[in-house]
Amino acid sequence: MQRRHLEYVVIAGMMLTGGYVLLSGLLAHLFGFPQFLLHHWAGYACAALVIFHLFLNWRRIRSYLLALRRRPTRAATPPASPASQPRSGLSRRGFLIGALAGLSGFLLGRFFPASRPPAEGDLGLQYHRWSMPGGSGLAGLRLDWGLRPPAVKAYPQAPRISLPAPRLPRADVWDVIAARRSRREYLSGPLPLEDLSALLYAAQGITEPRWGFRAAPSAGALYPIETYVAVHDVAGLEPGLYHYAVADHALELVRMGDLRASLVVAGIGQEMLGLAQVCFLLTALFQRTRWRYRERTYRYILLEAGHIGQNIYLAATGLGLGACAVGAFLDDPINDLLGVDGEEEAVLYLVTVGRVAA
Ligand SMILES: Cc1cc2nc3c(=O)[nH]c(=O)nc-3n(C[C@H](O)[C@H](O)[C@H](O)COP(=O)(O)O)c2cc1C
């Protein structure tokens, strides 16, 4: 390839990778994503191309810097001959300005932390303060917090699948805690139904039948979290969306079908959502907690989803499976997939579980 063509390719590469970094950074910032597909790699590629570009143009840069040192006066400058006319394309000055701007952007981003939003603009912080005892004051007391809704959700028309007794291998709790990792690569092949039964039991199973207490704690034992499972590959189950009927340790088939592609798209391209044998989807029915705990509701509900998520993680580890929490997803498509309105009931948290290499 001719040198000139190589330079064009490098410039095109810089524009593409730089543009992608800018766009993905903007989208991540606007939507609050913790990461964006290939953002970092595009940044590294752009930096490598800039260095290569500097290398290719080193002689031009050097002679420009030397000419700057000599500082010829305008009057003393002889008229430019056609041979010394600047070549069409990027001028040295333009190139230097671009390179300096890129470098200073990189240094600024790297060494100076992003400015913190003022507390007044941070709704989360405002909510945190408002939900402190006394924080909501009279305004909170004037609100209508509503009535107590039904304690459990049911799909009376849905086909029911009784779950077998869970497979509960003996495992040392300390070993399981130490071995727990987020695993995102899964082997193919079905998950035994007994394992899914054990995972659901760990998530929300009833462990104290007399009082209906469950495996994970809940503020006031109100249990606002509903557990759904997207089944991709489980022995004896059709792929589809199921709801966990806690009281009977059974599954209700909400919808049959292959949900892998929809989950990956709604999960912003996170492929593990389609590779795992199952994906747990935790939703909250806010009113179950709100009628009693009022302004503290949102705090409690998020904490409870975290408890359940950790139970799934630990149970998966104890069963020799891998799990990964997923907080980065587009809410509306997942709520649509579940058939919930996103107001009374909304998705909070996903956890994938699948077979992993030992
Ligand atoms: C609230 C929450 C949200 C998370 N969201 C994602 C996610 O969207 N995608 C992902 O790959 N990992 C996600 N994770 C997993 C973390 O990346 C992981 O826990 C972290 O890298 C530490 O690794 P470890 O779990 O193996 O200790 C999430 C974890 C938590 C607690």
Side-chain angles (χ1 to χ4, degrees):
M1 188 191 288
Q2 278 183 11
R3 189 188 168 101
R4 196 157 49 92
H5 290 153
L6 181 63
E7 283 185 17
Y8 289 149
V9 170
V10 172
I11 290 169
M14 283 194 312
M15 286 169 66
L16 277 177
T17 50
Y20 183 79
V21 171
L22 180 72
L23 193 69
S24 53
L26 265 176
L27 285 175
H29 180 73
L30 282 176
F31 293 102
F33 299 151
Q35 56 182 349
F36 205 97
L37 194 70
L38 298 179
H39 176 83
H40 290 88
W41 292 110
Y44 292 136
C46 187
L49 286 168
V50 168
I51 292 168
F52 189 46
H53 192 63
L54 284 173
F55 170 75
L56 285 179
N57 290 280
W58 177 240
R59 274 178 45 199
R60 270 199 256 169
I61 295 167
R62 193 166 159 271
S63 57
Y64 177 71
L65 289 176
L66 286 175
L68 257 190
R69 261 224 322 240
R70 279 189 232 114
R71 283 185 182 213
T73 58
R74 204 172 266 272
T77 311
S81 68
S84 67
Q85 290 281 340
R87 290 211 333 237
S88 63
L90 191 64
S91 70
R92 278 186 212 149
R93 182 175 302 177
F95 169 73
L96 265 181
I97 290 171
L100 277 176
L103 186 68
S104 36
F106 173 76
L107 291 175
L108 272 174
R110 181 77 183 79
F111 295 109
F112 291 90
S115 60
R116 286 152 56 106
E120 287 63 37
D122 180 350
L123 266 184
L125 189 57
Q126 284 182 36
Y127 166 70
H128 191 74
R129 284 188 191 143
W130 179 74
S131 61
M132 285 175 188
S136 56
L138 287 176
L141 289 177
R142 277 205 306 273
L143 290 176
D144 177 7
W145 300 96
L147 299 172
R148 183 174 193 173
V152 289
K153 185 171 182 180
Y155 288 82
Q157 312 302 331
R160 277 194 154 228
I161 300 104
S162 298
L163 287 164
R167 183 169 84 86
L168 304 174
R170 297 272 142 234
D172 185 289
V173 67
W174 306 114
D175 291 344
V176 172
I177 288 173
R180 185 210 63 80
R181 284 275 73 78
S182 293
R183 306 283 299 263
R184 299 170 180 84
E185 278 163 22
Y186 304 109
L187 305 172
S188 57
L191 193 74
L193 193 54
E194 291 76 11
D195 283 6
L196 177 58
S197 170
L199 291 162
L200 286 162
Y201 175 73
Q204 291 249 56
I206 293 183
T207 47
E208 166 51 281
R210 223 167 5 137
W211 301 103
F213 291 154
R214 303 187 189 175
S218 172
L222 294 171
Y223 303 108
I225 309 289
E226 291 292 326
T227 307
Y228 295 82
V229 200
V231 168
H232 300 329
D233 195 1
V234 173
L237 280 185
E238 288 293 332
L241 178 70
Y242 294 80
H243 171 252
Y244 180 43
V246 177
D248 307 323
H249 191 58
L251 286 173
E252 292 162 328
L253 176 60
V254 179
R255 184 175 339 130
M256 223 150 62
D258 185 342
L259 301 174
R260 286 176 292 189
S262 328
L263 273 178
V264 173
V265 171
I268 321 164
Q270 301 192 71
E271 289 192 344
M272 62 189 167
L273 288 161
L275 297 175
Q277 274 74 18
V278 291
C279 176
F280 291 84
L281 304 105
L282 305 180
T283 66
L285 271 151
F286 299 102
Q287 188 56 24
R288 274 199 206 141
T289 297
R290 193 192 285 128
W291 69 274
R292 181 183 292 173
Y293 289 113
R294 305 172 172 210
E295 64 272 30
R296 305 285 284 180
T297 297
Y298 199 61
R299 289 184 182 221
Y300 289 171
I301 277 178
L302 295 185
L303 294 170
E304 293 188 28
H307 281 295
I308 295 169
Q310 180 72 355
N311 272 14
I312 297 174
Y313 255 114
L314 294 180
T317 311
L319 289 163
L321 304 168
C324 187
V326 178
F329 53 81
L330 304 172
D331 295 64
D332 287 346
I334 302 267
N335 284 328
D336 290 348
L337 187 136
L338 291 166
V340 299
D341 64 2
E343 299 272 326
E344 289 297 311
E345 181 176 0
V347 65
L348 298 177
Y349 205 18
L350 313 183
V351 187
T352 57
V353 178
R355 298 177 57 234
V356 288

